[in-house]
Amino acid sequence: MSEAATAKAGTPYHISSAVVATMPQATEAVLAVLEGMENVEIHGHGGGKIVVVIEGKSTGALGERLTQISLLDGVISANMVFEHVEMEEEGQEP
């Protein structure tokens, strides 16, 4: 694709959903940390599981954030469920 065509198409912006499994006694502490993470939104939780949406400029950025989440105290696992790529047009906020 030419540079002009790439600029017209926009910049890819990645959006992913993930499920975070926690030790039941650690769920509230994990929720508190997740609430403070940039580009992470909590969409629900129950039974030691937390559903989050992660946004970023690349699949690598999403993977890095998911790795950070998986390393939190009390987290058993953090698994990406779905990823979608939107094309951001120049000057448009994600």
Side-chain angles (χ1 to χ4, degrees):
M1 185 181 292
S2 73
E3 191 174 318
T6 302
K8 186 173 183 174
T11 304
Y13 192 75
H14 298 254
I15 304 165
S16 171
S17 61
V19 175
V20 180
T22 65
M23 303 286 280
Q25 67 274 16
T27 302
E28 292 301 319
V30 172
L31 283 166
V33 173
L34 292 174
E35 286 175 357
M37 284 187 164
E38 189 174 336
N39 297 322
V40 175
E41 294 179 18
I42 299 167
H43 282 269
H45 65 90
K49 300 222 176 11
I50 305 168
V51 176
V52 297
V53 170
I54 306 169
E55 300 179 6
K57 299 276 183 191
S58 68
T59 298
L62 300 181
E64 286 177 25
R65 181 63 78 198
L66 196 60
T67 298
Q68 290 173 341
I69 292 169
S70 70
L71 295 173
L72 294 174
D73 286 340
V75 171
I76 298 168
S77 66
N79 297 298
M80 190 177 294
V81 177
F82 179 80
E83 182 179 355
H84 177 75
V85 179
E86 290 283 333
M87 295 308 286
E88 245 184 294
E89 292 185 26
E90 202 167 308
Q92 177 183 0
E93 287 290 320

